[in-house]
């Protein structure tokens, strides 16, 4: 790890005032310190934000829940409001990382974690995300874990978060504060596709700090499901994950949300497929048709064609399980 | 070395005072910002029970308890532990009286080489403090942050299953549960 200055401000405004192009905010540190140990990022100044008053959950006037950016992943997953009203979010969080990491990692930091592309993580090889213009060894290299949607010539990395896949399906809103003041960002717009600037994972400016994540009132608690497929039974990143949230009227779908993880540079949604499910009757045929429609736009690479078949089956299973009714969160039986 | 460092970097070589409770003892320490909790414990305080396996939060050998909750000491900056209550494997026993989790690991032969064991035991005590695990499946799932290259998993799970009811939760603050 490189040497750096350390500050611990007491107020959000002080934290923003301290920020500069060579500083980074640190909360849980579970990803940032790992990146620093690999020499993938070398901030000159760490601003410890764990003293800021952003560690609570509160109810919003709109009937939703505001999650402070510093609420730990574990506290969020086990919070009674989240377990009861947003079980999809609890399930997704508990599907990610380990208990130790979930105790440390913050909600805001989860959104900002970097890809686990093994070329990005190897400082000895080129990577457009690390060093713009240096090249992408993944596109024609070992790309088994890489994107099948939304990739560019410059970058085929995927976003690693499970939590964010659920937040995308729930249409959360990200609250940020910077030198220019406060603003909100719809979750679907928060993360970027790589395009010509893969070094930018999201829309956040250098001086902006995530202060909270707002959940809308609709939690789809009756019919939601998070399904994660990975190389081992626990504690691994998703090859494919699916977050489903359904509103049903008997067997008829009133509203459907479907977000995929492990397949793109951001949680992947296809609004046409979602709206196509509206008014349909719950059945295996309906779900298979939706999965086929979504995956007809997939662009697999040399080694990740299996993700198309895997995603198709995962979508059908997740939709079926959500339609049957939400299972309680909290580990294996 | 210093001739090539920027002013900002040179200014960073400042030790920060921290106060923490370590295994029941109040400690006042001076730490550099980039010293991890694991390096502080092992290199400066001679508490070498916590192990450096991967140093990237993947193996769990460095697991310690902060305010009763299990964390990876390798991904924690010591300077960010100011005011914390820390327990390492060295702080679990009461004198010669082993913690029930330590006793159960011995009884069930829940290790082979022993390298991962301090992290496994601290993690298991953290699991007990969380108070949620009921079934062997849940124990396995919620111990997945601790790897054992010898493959003693079945005995580790059996030891934890037996010790869980004997462990008094030691969470420092109630939280929302």
């Amino acid at each position: 790890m490189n040497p750096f200055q350390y500050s611990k401000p007491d107020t959000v405004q002080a934290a923003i005032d301290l920020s500069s192009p060579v500083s980074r905010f640190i909360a849980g540190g579970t990803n940032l310190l790992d990146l620093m140990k690999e020499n993938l990022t070398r901030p000159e100044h760490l601003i410890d934000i764990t003293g800021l008053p952003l560690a609570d959950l509160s109810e919003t006037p709109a009937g939703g829940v505001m999650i402070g950016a510093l609420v730990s992943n574990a506290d969020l997953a086990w919070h009674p409001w989240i377990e009861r009203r947003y079980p999809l979010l609890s399930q997704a969080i508990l599907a990610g990382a380990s208990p130790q990491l979930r105790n440390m990692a913050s909600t805001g930091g989860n959104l900002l974690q970097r890809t686990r592309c093994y070329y990005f993580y190897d400082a000895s090889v080129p990577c457009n995300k690390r060093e713009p213009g240096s090249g992408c060894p993944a596109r024609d290299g070992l790309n088994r874990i890489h994107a099948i949607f939304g990739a560019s010539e410059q970058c085929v990395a995927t976003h690693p978060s499970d939590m964010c896949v659920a937040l995308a399906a729930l249409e959360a809103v990200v609250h940020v504060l910077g030198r220019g003041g406060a603003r909100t960002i719809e979750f679907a717009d928060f993360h970027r596709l790589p395009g010509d600037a893969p070094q930018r994972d999201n829309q956040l400016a250098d001086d902006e700090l995530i202060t909270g994540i707002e959940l809308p009132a609709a939690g789809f608690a009756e019919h939601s499901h998070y399904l994660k497929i990975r190389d081992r039974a626990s504690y691994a990143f998703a090859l494919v994950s699916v977050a489903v949230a359904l509103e049903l009227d008997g067997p008829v779908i009133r509203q459907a949300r479907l977000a995929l993880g492990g397949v793109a540079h951001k949680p992947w949604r296809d609004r046409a497929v979602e709206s196509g499910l509206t008014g349909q009757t719950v059945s295996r045929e309906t779900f298979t048709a939706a999965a086929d429609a979504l995956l007809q736009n997939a662009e697999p690479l040399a080694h990740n064609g299996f993700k198309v078949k895997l995603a198709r089956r995962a979508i059908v299973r997740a939709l079926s399980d959500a339609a049957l009714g939400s299972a309680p969160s909290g580990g294996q039986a | 070395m210093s001739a090539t460092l920027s002013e900002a970097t040179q200014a960073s070589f400042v030790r920060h005072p921290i106060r923490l409770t370590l295994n029941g003892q109040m400690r006042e320490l001076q730490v550099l910002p980039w010293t991890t909790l694991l390096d502080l414990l092992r290199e400066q305080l001679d508490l070498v029970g916590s192990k450096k396996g991967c140093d990237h939060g993947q193996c769990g050998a460095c697991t310690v308890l902060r305010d009763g909750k299990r964390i990876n000491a390798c991904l924690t900056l010591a300077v960010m532990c100011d005011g914390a209550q820390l327990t390492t494997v060295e702080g679990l026993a009461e004198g010669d009286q082993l913690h029930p989790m330590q006793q159960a690991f011995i009884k069930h032969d829940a290790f082979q080489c022993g390298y991962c064991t301090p992290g496994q035991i601290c993690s298991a005590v953290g699991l007990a403090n969380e108070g949620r695990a009921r079934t062997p499946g849940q124990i396995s799932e919620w111990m997945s942050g601790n790897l054992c290259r010898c493959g003693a998993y079945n005995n580790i799970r059996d030891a934890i299953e037996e010790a869980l009811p004997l462990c008094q939760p030691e969470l420092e603050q109630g939280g929302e549960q």
Side-chain angles (χ1 to χ4, degrees):
Chain A
M1 218 179 323
N2 61 287
F4 53 85
Q5 277 184 283
Y6 170 83
S7 314
K8 188 175 182 182
D10 294 328
T11 66
V12 177
Q13 194 56 53
I16 290 161
D17 291 345
L18 281 168
S19 71
S20 75
V22 295
S23 73
R24 293 294 302 273
F25 299 118
I26 183 168
T30 54
N31 189 214
L32 179 60
L33 294 178
D34 192 29
L35 294 166
M36 288 170 68
K37 286 182 180 192
E38 295 283 4
N39 267 321
L40 302 178
T41 182
R42 298 172 60 85
E44 291 180 21
H45 183 191
L46 286 192
I47 303 166
D48 177 355
I49 58 169
T50 59
L52 306 184
L54 301 172
D56 292 320
L57 277 77
S58 57
E59 288 180 302
T60 66
V65 172
M66 178 68 87
I67 307 160
L70 292 173
V71 175
S72 75
N73 288 187
D75 285 350
L76 184 59
W78 296 122
H79 194 286
W81 293 352
I82 303 302
E83 281 196 287
R84 202 161 47 234
R85 294 182 54 193
Y86 306 92
L88 179 66
L89 182 54
S90 280
Q91 284 177 16
I93 294 169
L94 293 175
S98 69
Q100 289 95 319
L101 293 169
R102 293 195 293 265
N103 279 340
M104 303 162 72
S106 69
T107 303
N110 189 294
L111 272 61
L112 302 180
Q113 61 180 310
R114 310 298 309 272
T115 184
R116 264 52 170 208
C117 169
Y118 12 74
Y119 298 102
F120 171 77
Y121 249 86
D122 180 352
S124 68
V125 301
C127 169
N128 288 325
K129 188 178 271 301
R130 247 189 297 110
E131 288 171 51
S134 64
C136 174
R139 179 159 264 289
D140 296 313
L142 294 173
N143 46 35
R144 179 174 173 274
I145 65 168
H146 292 78
I148 57 171
F149 289 111
S152 69
E153 273 307 307
Q154 299 206 17
C155 183
V156 295
T158 59
H159 195 262
S161 170
D162 291 293
M163 179 194 283
C164 289
V165 183
L167 291 173
L170 292 168
E171 298 195 342
V173 177
V174 186
H175 288 243
V176 309
L177 188 68
R179 289 207 171 83
R183 65 178 176 129
T184 58
I185 307 169
E186 300 287 330
F187 206 84
D189 301 327
F190 184 80
H191 294 103
R192 298 178 66 256
L193 290 179
D196 290 335
Q199 69 275 18
R200 291 185 56 219
D201 293 346
N202 55 62
Q203 308 284 3
L204 210 59
D206 281 346
D207 65 308
E208 282 183 319
L209 179 69
I210 298 174
T211 54
I213 315 290
E214 182 181 352
L215 297 175
F220 300 89
E222 300 294 313
H223 295 286
S224 64
H225 190 70
Y226 189 73
L227 175 63
K228 179 175 181 179
I229 313 289
R230 44 193 156 177
D231 277 328
R232 58 186 187 193
S234 183
Y235 196 17
F237 291 98
L239 293 168
V240 170
S241 70
V242 185
V244 170
L246 297 175
E247 185 190 333
L248 300 181
D249 183 0
V252 179
I253 300 168
R254 289 277 167 240
Q255 191 183 174
R257 305 263 184 82
L258 180 59
L260 268 62
V263 297
H265 201 256
K266 60 188 286 186
W268 190 256
R269 285 180 66 186
D270 186 323
R271 306 307 171 97
V273 169
E274 290 179 11
S275 56
L277 280 165
T278 305
Q280 303 267 346
T281 302
V282 166
S283 73
R284 190 172 181 84
E285 291 68 35
T286 300
F287 296 154
T288 304
D292 286 340
L294 194 150
L295 289 160
Q296 71 179 358
N297 300 316
E299 296 175 307
L301 303 161
H303 301 288
N304 68 1
F306 76 97
K307 282 193 178 186
V308 177
K309 198 182 273 188
L310 191 62
R312 183 176 184 272
R313 293 172 177 165
I315 290 167
V316 173
R317 195 168 118 199
L319 281 164
S320 304
D321 286 350
L324 279 173
S326 301
S329 60
Q332 297 170 341
Chain B
M1 180 179 170
S2 62
T4 61
L5 294 176
S6 71
E7 254 176 61
T9 301
Q10 290 183 49
S12 68
F13 282 82
V14 173
R15 287 182 185 272
H16 293 251
I18 58 170
R19 279 165 64 96
L20 46 82
T21 307
L22 178 57
N23 295 331
Q25 234 186 343
M26 174 63 82
R27 306 290 297 259
E28 295 194 13
L29 304 162
Q30 303 276 333
V31 296
L32 289 164
W34 50 89
T35 299
T36 63
L37 174 59
L38 181 60
D39 286 341
L40 173 72
L41 293 171
R42 291 183 56 86
E43 307 296 331
Q44 295 181 38
L45 303 176
D46 289 330
L47 291 171
V48 294
S50 311
K51 297 293 186 285
K52 185 178 280 194
C54 68
D55 209 21
H56 290 283
Q58 296 174 7
C59 75
C62 66
T63 303
V64 299
L65 299 166
R66 179 171 64 191
D67 302 327
K69 295 180 178 180
R70 46 184 164 159
I71 62 167
N72 299 111
C74 74
L75 289 182
T76 302
L77 292 177
V79 70
M80 291 175 71
C81 292
D82 187 30
Q85 186 135 355
L86 295 169
T87 305
T88 68
V89 72
E90 291 91 344
L92 289 177
E94 302 271 357
D96 288 338
Q97 181 69 42
L98 292 180
H99 188 283
M101 195 62 76
Q102 293 172 308
Q103 202 70 61
F105 267 64
I106 293 170
K107 178 180 166 186
H108 288 271
D109 197 18
F111 42 77
Q112 194 178 117
C113 82
Y115 190 85
C116 72
T117 310
Q120 296 277 2
I121 290 175
C122 283
S123 187
V125 173
L127 177 78
N129 288 345
E130 290 156 16
R132 294 178 183 278
R134 299 282 180 271
T135 65
Q138 287 174 330
I139 293 171
S140 294
E141 169 64 21
W142 291 330
M143 286 297 294
S144 66
N146 292 82
L147 303 187
C148 171
R149 295 299 298 270
C150 302
Y153 292 112
N154 290 349
N155 293 5
I156 292 170
R157 192 189 55 221
D158 291 348
I160 296 171
E161 191 179 3
E162 177 175 301
L164 276 183
L166 308 174
C167 295
Q168 298 292 323
E170 289 162 22
L171 279 183
E172 296 308 314
Q173 74 279 347
E176 299 86 2
Q177 293 119 25

